[in-house]
């Protein structure tokens, strides 16, 4: 499921949550076995980019002249704080990353 502008919800939060849980389990396993931390999946990265792009079209940000740089900063901050997402505390990765992007802007 991509970012269909005609859909009310352009990211399926349940699917996103399942992906985050799977990725967090891979991180825990890698740490336990002394392996390098796995990279963020392409699907998770695409969802973060989609969130950042959509937030950039909010009325508050839409007329900023450096929107592409804002999007990059939002994605960078999400990747910086992605490991802090705790599935035991929240099942809403969409809200978590939207908040990070918003404050990055």
């Amino acid at each position: 499921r991509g970012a269909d502008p005609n859909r009310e919800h352009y990211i399926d939060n349940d699917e996103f949550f399942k992906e985050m849980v799977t990725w967090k389990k891979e991180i825990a396993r890698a740490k336990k076995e002394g392996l390098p931390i796995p990279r963020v999946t392409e699907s998770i990265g695409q969802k973060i980019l989609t969130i950042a792009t959509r937030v950039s079209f909010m009325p508050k940000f839409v007329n900023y002249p450096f929107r592409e740089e804002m999007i990059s900063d939002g994605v960078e901050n999400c990747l910086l704080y992605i490991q802090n997402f705790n599935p035991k505390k929240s099942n809403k990765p969409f809200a978590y990353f939207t908040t990070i992007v918003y404050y990055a802007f």
Side-chain angles (χ1 to χ4, degrees):
R1 302 178 205 215
D4 181 356
N6 297 323
R7 288 180 50 194
E8 181 181 345
H9 303 288
Y10 56 94
I11 302 246
D12 182 341
N13 192 66
D14 294 333
E15 178 185 319
F16 195 9
F17 179 71
K18 289 175 188 171
E19 289 178 38
M20 287 298 297
V21 168
T22 301
W23 183 69
K24 294 289 281 189
K25 285 179 183 176
E26 291 175 14
I27 289 174
R29 185 181 56 78
K31 286 181 178 179
K32 184 178 177 183
E33 296 175 7
L35 299 171
I37 293 175
R39 296 176 66 172
V40 174
T41 66
E42 188 170 332
S43 176
I44 291 172
Q46 185 61 47
K47 285 175 175 58
I48 290 170
L49 177 61
T50 301
I51 290 168
T53 302
R54 292 290 292 255
V55 170
S56 77
F57 283 103
M58 289 175 67
K60 186 174 194 166
F61 305 118
V62 74
N63 291 322
Y64 281 26
F66 303 107
R67 227 175 63 238
E68 289 178 8
E69 286 83 357
M70 288 172 34
I71 292 168
S72 296
D73 287 344
V75 170
E76 180 181 16
N77 281 8
C78 287
L79 294 175
L80 188 63
Y81 296 109
I82 192 167
Q83 289 189 41
N84 294 347
F85 178 77
N86 187 345
K88 294 176 183 172
K89 289 185 178 181
S90 172
N91 63 351
K92 296 177 176 44
F94 177 81
Y96 177 78
F97 292 110
T98 301
T99 302
I100 290 173
V101 168
Y102 182 85
Y103 284 108
F105 286 5

